């Protein structure tokens, strides 16, 4: 990396840590530390909500998804605006009126302590592990792309975040999130501009999008109803709706963002900001990926984007086979480049249809060579994940597409800005998660169960220690998770078991007056068991994970109501 | 913006909800138009 890029990344880190450390206003009391005394403006909270959701995995993975599979992933967010409105009408005013610190505190007010504690522990387990994954995923990619030491990369992302989150609490998290969103959006816009300027002089943006469309990259809306397909209009609108309701309504890392707003209406406004801007923002991220695809139609891409495997094969006895494949790939690329130019300049329906057919044939040839390279990876490196393809790219390579483009094709300065944007995306999510993990640990477990009657100063010290503990825990998990691809999947799976079921408990709380604490507790366990069964049973395994959320809700409500009918309602439940 | 302990949304908030839905419909229609235009 060029010195200028190092300076840009270094300046970003210093700026964010300095800004976070000086945001300690009101952080001398527990309510100020965790909720900023409910005093923050809606626009800052709204940007914090968006920054928390947009992790580095989203930034890097979604651009890769755009490259390999096109715009269809945007449908994943179609349920989000409706979810935000439902939450603004239902949970947000309830949380405010109950004056809670955590979403799970509300469950004790409505049901009982054991339901609150179970929900909080599930959150702590799930988010504690996923926080490590959020650090590990970009650290692995950056360390491979830039040749950095993996552990040092994890520490470079994790330690500054832990420092300012521990010292400044939620104020530091929110105000750094605002700046980090600016870095992320600024970097993205600059990357899109560089991609457009990098098109060949005889290819307009419209021509480029026509070629991308011919390769199936502009499939933005698909009205097919098929539960096995992950990204369709219906799975996004219905399955995505439940996922977003769970994430924004029951996940403390998001609930805590809008609990810091000045009033109920400001909390609602902060959520509605995502309703207005999330889909366009994700479309921009995906468009960046589609433009990278177009860029690599006219400039030769690497055969495999994750260069670690290429290096492993180079050192093996099959190096000559791999080099022969690379020569074949270069040839296939030249054929596709000519076909792409012909398609971009084609006029009239007949000429366009012919050019399109030639382009698709050339693209398939290139994919076939890549598939053989993926076969070598499986054989030599033993990485079985190279059996799956996303579009025409091996699945595990998808996350390396955008970083490869950034580090090898962007001009000096912009490389640093994009690396800073990846850091910003990771740090904003991690900070919010550490802050919420500390809140749930202290408020739901320590203050409620372990040490109930201590002073505010005591809880403040414990809160800072809890933030530091979760930060160190996340870094340790990240170091281990980095070497275990399957662990990342396990963590994500666990989250999906838990999300729909937790939403089901809140549905029981708000909609069904006769639901009891025993019903909610048993319902939560039954819902998780049902989702796990659906996810692993051979006959239902093909159902896309987005549908697990509504299944979890239904499981909890049905089991919860059945048990509630058999048990007496707790007196004093509100 | 008004602050209230009332859990019901004010008319201003309800108008904002309607605007958010209208905005989503327009965005999805625009995405669909992009697909029709370039696929």
């Amino acid at each position: 990396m060029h010195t200028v890029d190092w300076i840009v990344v270094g300046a970003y880190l210093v700026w964010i840590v300095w800004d976070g450390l000086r945001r300690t206003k009101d952080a001398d009391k527990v309510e100020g530390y965790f909720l900023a005394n409910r005093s923050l403006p809606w626009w800052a909270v709204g940007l914090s909500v968006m920054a928390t959701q947009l992790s580095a995995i989203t930034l890097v993975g979604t651009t890769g998804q755009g490259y390999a599979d096109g715009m269809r992933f945007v449908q994943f967010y179609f349920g989000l605006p409706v979810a935000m409105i439902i939450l603004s009408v239902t949970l947000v005013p309830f949380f405010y009126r109950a004056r809670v610190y955590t979403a799970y505190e509300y469950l004790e007010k409505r049901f009982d302590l054991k339901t609150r504690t179970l929900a909080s522990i599930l959150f702590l387990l799930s988010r504690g592990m996923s926080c490590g994954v959020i650090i590990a995923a970009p650290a692995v990619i950056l360390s491979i792309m830039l040749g950095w030491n993996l552990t040092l990369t994890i520490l470079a992302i994790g330690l500054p975040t832990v420092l300012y989150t521990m010292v400044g609490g939620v104020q530091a998290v929110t105000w750094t999130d605002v700046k980090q969103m600016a870095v992320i959006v600024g970097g993205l816009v600059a990357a899109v501009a560089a991609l457009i300027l990098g098109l060949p002089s005889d290819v307009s943006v419209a021509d480029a999008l026509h070629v991308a469309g011919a390769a199936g990259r502009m499939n933005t809306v698909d009205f097919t109803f098929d539960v096995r397909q992950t990204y369709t209009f219906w799975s996004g609108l219905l399955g995505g709706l439940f996922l977003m309701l769970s994430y924004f309504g029951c996940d403390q890392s998001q609930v805590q963002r809008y609990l810091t707003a000045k009033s109920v209406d400001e909390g609602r406004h902060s959520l509605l900001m995502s309703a207005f801007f999330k889909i366009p923002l994700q479309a921009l991220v995906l468009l960046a990926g589609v433009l990278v695809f177009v860029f690599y139609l006219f400039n030769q891409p690497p055969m495999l984007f994750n260069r670690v495997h290429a290096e492993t094969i180079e050192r093996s006895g099959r190096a000559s086979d791999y080099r022969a494949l690379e020569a074949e790939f270069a040839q296939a690329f030249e054929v596709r480049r000519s076909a792409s130019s012909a398609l971009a300049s084609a006029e009239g329906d007949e000429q366009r249809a012919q050019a399109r057919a030639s382009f698709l044939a050339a693209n398939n040839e290139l994919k076939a060579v890549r598939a053989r390279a993926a076969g070598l990876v499986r054989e030599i490196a033993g990485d079985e994940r190279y059996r799956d393809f996303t579009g025409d790219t091996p699945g595990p390579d998808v996350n390396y597409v955008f970083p490869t483009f950034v580090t090898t094709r962007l001009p000096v300065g912009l490389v640093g800005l994009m690396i800073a944007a990846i850091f910003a995306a990771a740090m904003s999510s991690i900070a919010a998660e550490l802050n919420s993990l500390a809140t749930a640990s202290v408020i739901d477990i320590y203050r409620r169960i372990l040490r109930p009657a201590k002073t505010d100063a005591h809880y403040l010290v414990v809160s800072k220690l809890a933030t530091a503990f979760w930060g160190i825990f996340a870094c340790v998990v990240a170091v281990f998770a980095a070497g275990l691809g399957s662990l990342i999947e396990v963590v994500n799976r666990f989250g999906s078991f838990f999300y729909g079921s937790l939403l089901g408990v809140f549905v029981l709380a708000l909609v069904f007056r006769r639901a009891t604490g025993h019903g909610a507790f048993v319902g939560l366990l039954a819902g998780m068991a049902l989702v796990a069964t659906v996810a692993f049973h051979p006959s239902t395994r093909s159902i896309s994970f987005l549908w697990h959320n509504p299944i979890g809700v239904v499981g909890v409500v049905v089991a919860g109501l059945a048990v509630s009918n058999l048990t007496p309602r707790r007196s004093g439940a509100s | 913006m008004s602050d209230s302990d009332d859990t019901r949304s004010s008319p201003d908030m309800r108008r904002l909800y309607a605007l958010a839905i209208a905005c989503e419909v327009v965005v999805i229609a625009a995405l669909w138009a992009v697909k029709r235009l370039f696929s």
Side-chain angles (χ1 to χ4, degrees):
Chain A
M1 205 162 76
H2 194 277
T3 314
V4 174
D5 297 316
W6 276 108
I7 291 170
V8 172
V9 175
Y12 158 77
L13 281 173
V14 170
W15 177 45
I16 288 298
V17 172
W18 173 75
D19 189 65
L21 291 178
R22 73 193 179 95
R23 299 281 180 184
T24 52
K25 183 173 164 257
D26 301 327
D28 54 348
K29 297 270 194 305
V30 170
E31 188 168 12
Y33 187 74
F34 283 140
L35 296 179
N37 291 333
R38 304 171 205 264
S39 64
L40 298 179
W42 66 269
W43 58 269
V45 178
L47 286 171
S48 182
V49 165
M50 292 181 78
T52 300
Q53 191 184 17
L54 205 164
S55 72
I57 301 173
T58 321
L59 187 63
V60 168
T62 308
T63 42
Q65 191 87 21
Y67 170 91
D69 198 34
M71 300 282 291
R72 80 178 76 234
F73 181 65
V74 76
Q75 297 169 108
F76 180 78
Y77 295 93
F78 282 179
L80 187 145
V82 181
M84 293 312 206
I85 294 169
I86 292 173
L87 291 173
S88 294
V89 173
T90 57
L91 275 178
V92 174
F94 275 98
F95 285 156
Y96 271 84
R97 201 170 58 170
R99 306 287 296 175
V100 292
Y101 280 77
T102 72
Y104 319 116
E105 209 177 338
Y106 175 72
L107 291 178
E108 184 180 2
K109 289 176 189 281
R110 172 63 180 83
F111 293 126
D112 53 21
L113 178 61
K114 67 176 181 299
T115 308
R116 170 187 179 176
T117 308
L118 176 63
S120 190
I121 287 174
L122 286 172
F123 164 76
L124 290 171
L125 283 174
S126 167
R127 277 293 159 198
M129 298 295 276
S130 77
C131 197
V133 173
I134 288 175
I135 302 175
V140 170
I141 294 165
L142 289 175
S143 65
I144 288 174
M145 300 307 310
L146 298 164
W148 295 351
N149 176 284
L150 178 60
T151 306
L152 287 180
T153 312
I154 287 170
L155 295 179
I157 295 173
L159 287 187
T161 318
V162 177
L163 182 64
Y164 71 73
T165 307
M166 188 181 87
V167 174
V170 79
Q171 290 262 6
V173 173
T174 306
W175 292 111
T176 51
D177 278 357
V178 169
K179 286 150 188 90
Q180 282 161 336
M181 267 308 278
V183 173
I184 294 165
V185 174
L188 262 177
V189 170
V192 168
L195 280 160
I196 289 173
L197 292 172
L199 287 173
S201 55
D202 57 339
V203 176
S204 69
V205 175
D207 292 337
L209 293 181
H210 272 297
V211 180
R217 299 304 196 274
M218 301 305 287
N219 195 6
T220 47
V221 187
D222 177 0
F223 288 107
T224 312
F225 189 90
D226 183 349
V227 292
R228 290 163 304 176
Q229 280 193 41
T230 307
Y231 307 121
T232 67
F233 176 83
W234 300 110
S235 69
L237 195 67
L238 299 175
L241 168 68
F242 281 86
L243 178 64
M244 299 303 169
L245 282 172
S246 312
Y247 177 55
F248 289 101
C250 315
D251 189 312
Q252 180 63 18
S253 66
Q254 282 294 358
V255 172
Q256 194 162 351
R257 303 303 107 228
Y258 54 83
L259 285 180
T260 61
K262 282 178 188 168
S263 64
V264 178
D265 275 358
E266 296 235 354
R268 287 167 165 152
H269 277 83
S270 68
L271 283 183
L272 289 179
M273 184 187 268
S274 286
F276 283 103
F277 296 113
K278 186 64 188 177
I279 297 175
L281 179 66
Q282 284 303 131
L284 178 72
V285 177
L286 285 163
L287 180 67
V290 171
L291 289 172
V292 171
F293 172 75
V294 174
F295 178 87
Y296 280 131
L297 290 177
F298 300 102
N299 303 275
Q300 189 176 333
M303 186 162 64
L304 294 176
F305 284 93
N306 182 350
R307 68 181 192 200
V308 164
H309 289 317
E311 285 164 9
T312 308
I313 298 168
E314 281 291 342
R315 288 193 299 269
S316 75
R318 303 290 298 276
S320 57
D321 292 346
Y322 191 76
R323 277 197 287 274
L325 265 183
E326 280 194 317
E328 219 176 306
F329 184 80
Q331 241 172 2
F333 165 74
E334 285 303 332
V335 173
R336 190 181 71 168
R337 176 158 64 180
S338 304
S340 304
S341 298
L343 179 57
S345 59
E347 284 174 10
D349 288 347
E350 198 181 330
Q351 197 187 1
R352 198 166 283 167
Q354 273 180 353
R356 189 185 171 99
S358 305
F359 169 77
L360 289 176
N363 200 41
N364 283 338
E365 180 56 34
L366 204 77
K367 181 184 175 183
V369 179
R370 267 207 174 116
R372 282 153 63 198
L376 269 183
V377 171
R378 292 201 304 273
E379 201 181 311
I380 307 299
D383 192 339
E384 283 302 312
R385 293 174 303 155
Y386 274 76
R387 201 171 288 283
D388 301 325
F389 270 64
T390 303
D392 49 21
T393 308
D397 263 22
V398 168
N399 289 339
Y400 290 84
V401 172
F402 193 61
T404 300
F405 168 77
V406 166
T407 51
T408 59
R409 303 288 187 163
L410 281 183
V412 169
L414 211 48
V415 176
L417 179 62
M418 282 313 304
I419 302 288
I422 294 171
F423 265 70
M427 291 167 74
S428 58
S429 302
I430 297 159
E433 300 215 346
L434 294 181
N435 186 235
S436 59
L437 285 164
T439 310
S441 313
V442 174
I443 303 295
D444 290 331
I445 309 294
Y446 187 82
R447 193 173 79 171
R448 178 66 186 86
I449 299 169
L450 299 178
R451 295 276 189 279
K454 296 285 181 181
T455 62
D456 193 80
H458 173 84
Y459 291 125
L460 182 66
V461 171
V462 174
S463 302
K464 291 184 177 182
L465 290 174
T467 308
F469 164 78
W470 282 113
I472 292 163
F473 178 80
C475 288
V476 171
V477 169
V479 171
F480 286 103
L484 296 167
S486 58
L487 180 65
I488 294 176
E489 280 174 31
V490 168
V491 169
N492 288 338
R493 270 282 166 91
F494 183 74
S496 73
F497 296 165
F498 152 75
Y499 261 13
S501 306
L502 196 56
L503 178 63
V505 175
F506 279 92
V507 170
L508 273 180
L510 291 173
V511 180
F512 299 98
R513 283 183 165 221
R514 61 182 172 164
T516 64
H518 291 310
F521 186 81
V522 175
L524 179 52
L525 294 173
M528 289 179 64
L530 177 65
V531 174
T533 307
V534 170
F536 291 116
H537 195 275
S539 62
T540 50
R541 204 162 39 197
S542 61
I543 293 174
S544 160
F545 78 95
L546 274 176
W547 294 103
H548 292 170
N549 295 286
I551 291 168
V553 173
V554 172
V556 172
V557 170
V558 170
L561 287 178
V563 174
S564 297
N565 280 331
L566 302 172
T567 50
R569 190 160 187 261
R570 178 175 74 114
S571 61
S574 53
Chain B
M1 270 165 279
S2 61
D3 190 7
S4 160
D5 277 344
D6 198 331
T7 54
R8 284 174 303 176
S9 301
S10 64
D12 277 355
M13 281 309 307
R14 286 202 289 270
R15 270 193 287 277
L16 209 53
Y17 300 152
L19 189 62
I21 293 295
C23 191
E24 173 169 27
V25 172
V26 169
V27 169
I28 292 175
L31 287 168
W32 182 76
V34 163
K35 176 186 172 180
R36 298 283 296 173
L37 195 62
F38 294 113
S39 289

